[in-house]
Amino acid sequence: MIWFLFDCEFGMFSFSEQLRKDKETLQTKHDQLKEEKEQLRKDKETLQTEHDQLKEEKEQLRKDKETLQTEHDQLKEEKEQLRKDKETLQTKHDQLKEEKEQLRKDKETLQTKHDQLKEEKEQLRKDKETLQTEHDKLQQEIDDRKAQFENGWQNSHLFPDWRKKYYQAANVTLDPDTAHPALILSEERQVSMGEKPQDLPRNQMRFESLPCVLGKQSFSSERHFWEVKVNSCTGWDLGICRSNVMRKERTYIKPEDGFWAIRMYNHEYWALTSPETQLTLKQHPCTICIFLDYEDQRISFYNMEDNSHIYTFSQGAFYGSLRPFFRLWFKDSGHLYICPLSKEPEA
């Protein structure tokens, strides 16, 4: 019994000891587990922290990736643009290279032309000097001839426009007091022949034997000219006469009786000299210019259609005053018209 109790006590002791050991072991494991748990908690926190960091880093990387992608796309576009710009620049470069080559060729051409122009300029300068020398010689010759001409121009048949330089323009009008009754005057410058003579007052100045009329103006010095349109008039006498010529008796148109005139009659032209001189005109005159040089006793007639000389009376034995003279031959011969000219001082 005692043994049994002993065994029981011993058994209880052993069990208690075992329990204590187990408890200690469990306690140790519990502490380990607690430590492990704590460590796991810390590890969890660490992992959570790392996870959060990784998550942030992932998000940042995503953003960086997007940024890089955007920059990549921009760079790709810029690269493409640069490629295009490069092609454009290459094209321009090639064009500039061609233009440069063309400019070089043009420069060479211009240089050649420049050299040619320089040579031509030098030649022109020499030619100018030669021409100037020849001009000076010609000018001297002209001056010499002009001096000779100035001393003897009266004896030459100048063009009328040139001859007018030495004469005064005479504004000639018709004098009705001298007009034959068969003549009709209009505007003081035009004369024609009527169907029958007019009933006009008789006076000492009027022509009665021939259908003539004089100009109002009289000349007793200097040089004068006037123009008369004859147009299609078929019969006329034109010129000058002394103021005191015969008018009532039979009148003869000749220098001996104080007339210096030319005539157109039956399509023929005559200088009313003694005897009459037939004239040959290259062109029928429509306007005749009459030049009177009283001092040199000359009267010249010019055809203004071709500026040709018709006839000149020289050594006219002028004395007293002279007046423009006009005559018509037929009633249907047309009319004569005196051109109005402004008076100019003698050149």
Side-chain angles (χ1 to χ4, degrees), residues 33 44 96 105-106 126 129 158 193 199 206 209 255 270 292:
L33 287 171
K44 180 183 176 181
L96 286 173
K105 293 179 180 179
D106 292 344
K126 293 178 180 178
E129 291 179 354
L158 299 174
M193 187 176 290
D199 184 13
R206 192 178 306 283
S209 62
W270 301 84
L292 170 62

Side-chain angles (χ1 to χ4, degrees), residues 10-50:
F10 181 75
M12 286 295 292
F13 175 78
S14 295
F15 181 76
S16 296
E17 182 63 24
Q18 186 63 41
L19 285 173
R20 184 188 64 77
K21 289 179 179 180
D22 290 339
K23 180 180 178 181
E24 289 178 355
T25 299
L26 287 172
Q27 184 63 45
T28 300
K29 288 181 178 182
H30 172 76
D31 293 338
Q32 288 176 350
L33 287 171
K34 189 175 180 182
E35 289 177 0
E36 290 177 359
K37 179 182 177 182
E38 179 63 22
Q39 184 62 41
L40 287 171
R41 185 189 64 77
K42 291 179 180 181
D43 291 342
K44 180 183 176 181
E45 290 179 354
T46 300
L47 287 172
Q48 184 64 44
T49 301
E50 291 178 355

Side-chain angles (χ1 to χ4, degrees), residues 55-80:
K55 189 176 180 180
E56 290 177 359
E57 290 176 358
K58 179 183 177 182
E59 179 64 21
Q60 184 62 42
L61 286 171
R62 185 189 63 77
K63 292 180 180 180
D64 291 344
K65 179 183 177 182
E66 290 179 355
T67 302
L68 286 172
Q69 184 65 43
T70 302
E71 292 179 353
H72 172 77
D73 294 339
Q74 290 176 346
L75 286 172
K76 188 175 181 181
E77 291 177 0
E78 290 176 0
K79 178 183 176 182
E80 179 63 19

Side-chain angles (χ1 to χ4, degrees), residues 267-281:
H267 305 292
E268 295 179 346
Y269 295 92
W270 301 84
L272 301 182
T273 55
S274 295
E276 297 173 351
T277 302
Q278 188 169 6
L279 304 173
T280 302
L281 276 62

